[in-house]
């Protein structure tokens, strides 16, 4: 009898703990949204607590947005930075289902300079799973003159020669200086982020500045 009673109490404690964690998480997300809305106002940008995936045209063409399920764009702020169309948002997606489900979240800087025209590519830090993919033929474009870049990153895309022309020595050096920076690009669209990391409100301007530095290192077309 006591064992059965203990079991019931234990179950209620677990349920209560789950509810408390859920309420706490909801409150923290609400506070984050409010803080980011304030940051957007300080930049003179517009803000939406959530946005459809087609808020940015052609999102599905880029590696970050072409994986997983249950995709969401949250805390979407947009405007201009140094004359460039820009946005910052939280992107969330899930991989797997049930007990094997894992949710990923990161903040993303989006830049759309009218003068940019780059081949489609994705740049990721080297990691165990990427090394596994590479072993099974996953494309990796290395640069013999920049062994440190090639050690730190996996760079891939359908047009290797165009990517090699685009990634100048100055651009390769920049990424060596900022390890862990992920970038997806194509045409005049560029997405810069750190995998699994969400910016704090006070970091937004510095990350937008980082994105603009990347843009300025790509070959410019009139």
């Amino acid at each position: 009898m006591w064992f059965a009673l203990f079991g019931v109490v234990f179950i209620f404690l677990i349920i209560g703990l789950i509810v408390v964690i859920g309420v706490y998480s909801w409150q923290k997300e609400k506070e984050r949204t409010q803080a980011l809305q304030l940051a957007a106002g300080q930049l003179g940008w517009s803000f939406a607590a959530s946005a459809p995936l087609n808020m940015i045209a052609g999102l599905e063409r880029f590696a970050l947005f072409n994986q997983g399920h249950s995709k969401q764009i949250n805390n979407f702020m947009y405007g201009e930075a140094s004359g460039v169309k820009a946005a910052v948002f939280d992107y969330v997606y899930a991989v797997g289902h049930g007990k094997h489900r894992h949710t990923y979240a990161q903040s993303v800087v989006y830049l759309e300079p009218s003068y940019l025209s780059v081949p489609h590519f994705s740049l990721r830090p080297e990691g165990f799973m990427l090394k596994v993919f590479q072993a099974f033929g996953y494309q990796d474009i290395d640069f013999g003159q920049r062994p440190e870049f090639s050690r730190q990153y996996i760079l891939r895309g359908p047009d290797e020669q165009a990517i090699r022309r685009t990634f100048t020595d100055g651009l390769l050096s920049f990424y060596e200086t900022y390890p862990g920076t992920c970038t997806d690009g194509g045409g005049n669209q560029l997405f810069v982020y750190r995998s699994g990391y969400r910016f704090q409100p006070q970091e937004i301007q510095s990350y937008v500045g980082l994105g603009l530095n990347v843009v300025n290192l790509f070959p410019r077309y009139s």
Side-chain angles (χ1 to χ4, degrees), residues 25-66:
S25 298
W26 175 84
Q27 182 62 36
K28 296 300 290 184
E29 288 302 311
K30 182 180 178 181
E31 291 173 0
R32 175 176 174 80
T33 295
Q34 291 171 342
L36 290 173
Q37 186 171 12
L38 179 61
Q42 293 170 343
L43 289 170
W45 287 11
S46 300
F47 182 86
S50 62
L53 292 176
N54 62 4
M55 192 73 172
I56 297 174
L59 213 60
E60 70 283 352
R61 296 196 299 265
F62 298 93
L64 174 62
F65 309 100
N66 194 23

Side-chain angles (χ1 to χ4, degrees), residues 58-59 61-65 108-113 116-124 155-159 163 166-167 175 182-193 214-215 218:
L59 213 60
R61 296 196 299 265
F62 298 93
L64 174 62
F65 309 100
V108 182
V109 173
Y110 171 67
L111 298 166
E112 190 180 306
L116 190 70
S117 180
V118 297
H120 276 269
F121 71 90
S122 67
L123 180 69
R124 299 288 184 276
L155 174 63
R156 64 189 181 103
D159 190 339
I163 291 172
T166 299
F167 274 74
Y175 279 108
C182 302
T183 309
D184 288 345
N188 71 332
Q189 295 177 285
L190 206 67
F191 301 86
V192 180
Y193 63 99
V214 173
V215 166
F218 279 106

Side-chain angles (χ1 to χ4, degrees), residues 10 15 22 43 48 51 55 74 88 107 119 126 155 157 160 177 196 208 210:
F10 179 76
I15 293 173
L43 289 170
M55 192 73 172
N74 300 320
V88 174
S107 297
E126 285 269 13
L155 174 63
E160 180 175 341
T177 307
V208 171
L210 178 74

Side-chain angles (χ1 to χ4, degrees), residues 48-97:
S50 62
L53 292 176
N54 62 4
M55 192 73 172
I56 297 174
L59 213 60
E60 70 283 352
R61 296 196 299 265
F62 298 93
L64 174 62
F65 309 100
N66 194 23
Q67 56 188 324
H69 58 87
S70 304
K71 304 171 186 180
Q72 299 176 41
I73 289 179
N74 300 320
N75 301 317
F76 188 87
M77 61 181 75
Y78 56 100
E80 284 193 357
S82 299
V84 174
K85 182 179 178 181
V88 174
F89 56 93
D90 291 337
Y91 177 64
V92 182
Y93 68 95
V95 173
H97 299 273

Side-chain angles (χ1 to χ4, degrees), residues 146 149 168-178:
R146 306 296 308 201
F149 173 86
T168 63
D169 199 64
L171 187 58
L172 298 173
S173 176
F174 176 87
Y175 279 108
E176 289 175 2
T177 307
Y178 293 92

